[in-house]
Structure formats: C-alpha cells, structure tokens
Amino acid sequence: MSPTQEPVHRLAQGVRIHGSELLAGATDPHDELMSLVWGPRFDRDHALQLVARQPEAAARTLPALLAAADHFDALHALAQSRLRRLIVRHRALRAAGAAQASLGARA
C-alpha cells in the first residue's frame, strides 16, 4: 500500500470494526460519517452524540472513535478529501448493489 493511502486505510479499518455499532439505527450511515469528517477537523461533538445513542457499546467504540478523530485531524487536506470521496463512493456502490438486488428479486 502506498504511503499516501495508508492513513486513509487505517481510518477505514476502524469504521469496519466499530461502524456497525456506532451507526446502528442511523437513517443514513454515510451521512453520519460525512458529518464527522466534513470539515478540516473531526466533529467530536457529533461523534459523542452518536456514542450516547449506543451506551452499551460506548466502552468499545469511544476509544477507537477518539483515536480516529486525532488521526483524521493529523491528515493533510488531500488525504481528508480522499476519505470523503471514499465515503461517497461506498454510498454509490451500496445503492447500486441494493438496486441490483431489488431487480433480481422481481425477476
């Protein structure tokens, strides 16, 4: 993996591990993720609101979430932008997969 992709990959691993717990019950998990990384600094206040909705998972998710916040803040602007593009891409891939599944169910 290239040195420019490694920091974003590390953040994505954390989402894969803790994302389902952290984003459980979210109407649109991709919107929640984007709200955390939309600006030049990770939105810790919003992250704490997400953790508060899942108190039984807080002990597992909060340390990883705060580490991800520090890691995101340390990324240069291009890496932050790449992460945002990956979230948008993932949303599009999920939507395309859901549309294919829907078409397959009708056939």
Side-chain angles (χ1 to χ4, degrees), residues 11 14-15 18-19 22-23 32-33 36-37 42-52 57-73:
L11 277 172
V15 171
H18 300 288
L22 184 64
L23 301 171
E32 294 293 350
L33 284 175
L36 295 172
V37 298
F42 193 91
D43 188 344
R44 287 166 176 78
D45 291 334
H46 186 70
L48 293 175
Q49 291 172 7
L50 291 174
V51 170
R60 291 184 301 276
T61 59
L62 187 57
L65 187 61
L66 294 176
D70 292 340
H71 188 74
F72 178 81
D73 290 351

Side-chain angles (χ1 to χ4, degrees), residues 1 6 8 11 13 27-29 33 53-54 63-64 72 85 107:
M1 175 173 307
E6 192 274 332
V8 172
L11 277 172
Q13 283 179 317
T27 305
D28 187 338
L33 284 175
R53 293 190 321 203
Q54 305 292 335
F72 178 81
R85 286 191 314 271

Side-chain angles (χ1 to χ4, degrees), residues 4 8 16 24-26 35-36 45 51 57 62 64 74 80 89 92 95 100 104-105:
T4 58
V8 172
R16 286 184 193 107
S35 70
L36 295 172
D45 291 334
V51 170
L62 187 57
Q80 289 179 352
R89 181 178 164 210
Q100 281 185 333

